Amino acid sequence: MVKLGVNIDHVATVRQARLATEPDPIHAAVLAELGGADQITVHLREDRRHINDRDVRILRETIKTKLNLEMACTNEMVQIALEIKPDMVTLVPEKREELTTEGGLDVVNNFDHVAKAVKALNEAGIFVSLFIDPEYSQIEATKKTGAEAVEIHTGAYADTTGAEQRSELVRIISASEKTRELGLVLNSGHGLNYRNTAEIVAIPGMNEVNIGHSIIGRAIFVGLERAVSEMKELIHKALIDARV
Ligand code: PXP
């Protein structure tokens, strides 16, 4: 079964819209787990625009599944990860002006910097994944850093339709093959929703998808537990259909 990581950043975004204490992402994590989430994913951004240090600390203590901490590759964030010890760190690129993570981490051109962070995290026993575009050079560089997993950026696939989307899917499929060939764990995420996730989870060797926006958006109408369980059912059905 392909695992589902539920990204709960948007719950904190609503809280921060009023600089209030509700809705609490800690409650969201409980409901997501009741709905069948295999992992809770949060992005602690440098500007703390949604998830904050207190959230990560409490989630570490209360989550019953796994905590995946997405973060920029900075000294400050590495220090926080070393203290919190999430089950997994996903290193992502971060720009202050962006609405959400744009593009993958450029491991090729920032190799020494990324490799140093991976080493420090690995030495503390933290599993590290790098969020990268579906490009061979980035996958090969990821392997050389010592990271154990990649999260393939599915944003370009999610943002397109028709023939363009087909060709983005082909790119992701061949990047996935390369990932498995190199013995890296294969994760994916960004922009996935109830209409475009089936094709991604059907890719051989896919270990996990991380989904936020579409699940939290649906939760407004049907509740979070149900929104998560519907995504779990969709993944299950996609795997049966693909006979994986
Ligand atoms: N994976 C990574 C590395 C991300 O940065 C994000 C967005 O925070 C997601 C997955 C989830 O993307 P979305 O909210 O579009 O489902």
Side-chain angles (χ1 to χ4, degrees), residues 7 21 38 60 64 85 132 169 239:
N7 181 314
T21 55
D38 300 291
R60 170 68 294 180
K64 299 290 178 276
K85 290 206 169 38
I132 54 167
L169 183 60
L239 292 174

Side-chain angles (χ1 to χ4, degrees), residues 7 9-10 41 43 45 50 70 90-92 100-101 131 151 188-192 210-215:
N7 181 314
D9 292 351
H10 280 8
T41 296
H43 185 173
R45 295 188 73 100
H50 40 55
E70 291 177 2
T90 303
L91 294 176
V92 301
T100 180
T101 317
F131 183 55
E151 179 172 335
S188 61
H190 212 283
L192 297 178
N210 284 294
I211 308 181
H213 183 84
S214 69
I215 291 179

